[in-house]
């Protein structure tokens, strides 16, 4: 496989959220946007400590990954409290993909 056709998987792991106000009858989700693609975690119970344990992943080729790093592209992950009738934005995090390592099986503490 040529270097330009090589596929990379950009993976963001969400483990837990802390210091949230407990919200009965709501679920917690994270929606993330990168490279024009929106992904979301499955809903989990909304408590003071939220155990998420989910990953979101985007597939890129080497050229695209390099371009995003040069352009300082980011992944914006927005946290929501969701009920049957509402979806409330309760916070967000912005991840700089320049710190993502290239290679197979390499994991970074940020990603």
């Amino acid at each position: 496989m040529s270097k330009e056709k090589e596929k990379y998987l950009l993976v963001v792991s969400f483990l837990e959220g802390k210091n949230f106000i407990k919200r009965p009858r709501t679920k917690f989700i994270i929606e993330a946007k990168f490279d024009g693609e929106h992904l979301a975690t499955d809903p989990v119970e909304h408590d003071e400590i939220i155990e998420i344990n989910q990953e979101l992943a985007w597939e890129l080729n080497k050229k695209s990954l390099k371009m995003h790093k040069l352009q300082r592209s980011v992944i914006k992950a927005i946290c929501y409290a969701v009920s049957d009738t509402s979806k409330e934005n309760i916070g967000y995090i912005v991840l700089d993909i320049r710190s993502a390592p290239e290679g197979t099986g390499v994991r970074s503490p940020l990603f």
Side-chain angles (χ1 to χ4, degrees), residues 64-74 96 98:
S64 179
L65 179 60
K66 192 172 200 171
M67 182 186 72
H68 280 293
K69 285 187 173 190
L70 287 172
Q71 293 177 346
R72 298 182 175 194
S73 297
V74 296
D96 186 344
R98 290 179 295 164

Side-chain angles (χ1 to χ4, degrees), residues 46-78:
H46 195 294
D47 216 341
E48 291 175 20
I49 296 178
I50 302 168
E51 296 209 19
I52 305 162
N53 295 321
Q54 297 180 48
E55 295 179 334
L56 301 178
W58 294 264
E59 189 174 312
L60 304 163
N61 61 35
K62 184 170 182 140
K63 183 178 179 181
S64 179
L65 179 60
K66 192 172 200 171
M67 182 186 72
H68 280 293
K69 285 187 173 190
L70 287 172
Q71 293 177 346
R72 298 182 175 194
S73 297
V74 296
I75 296 172
K76 184 173 183 181
I78 304 172

Side-chain angles (χ1 to χ4, degrees), residues 32-43:
K33 179 182 175 183
F34 176 71
D35 199 23
E37 185 176 3
H38 290 77
L39 300 176
T41 61
D42 293 330

Side-chain angles (χ1 to χ4, degrees), residues 64-110:
S64 179
L65 179 60
K66 192 172 200 171
M67 182 186 72
H68 280 293
K69 285 187 173 190
L70 287 172
Q71 293 177 346
R72 298 182 175 194
S73 297
V74 296
I75 296 172
K76 184 173 183 181
I78 304 172
C79 305
Y80 292 100
V82 180
S83 69
D84 292 337
T85 59
S86 68
K87 181 177 176 182
E88 181 184 352
N89 180 335
I90 57 173
Y92 69 93
I93 186 168
V94 177
L95 303 169
D96 186 344
I97 69 158
R98 290 179 295 164
S99 61
E102 288 183 36
T104 57
V106 179
R107 295 190 63 96
S108 167
L110 272 177

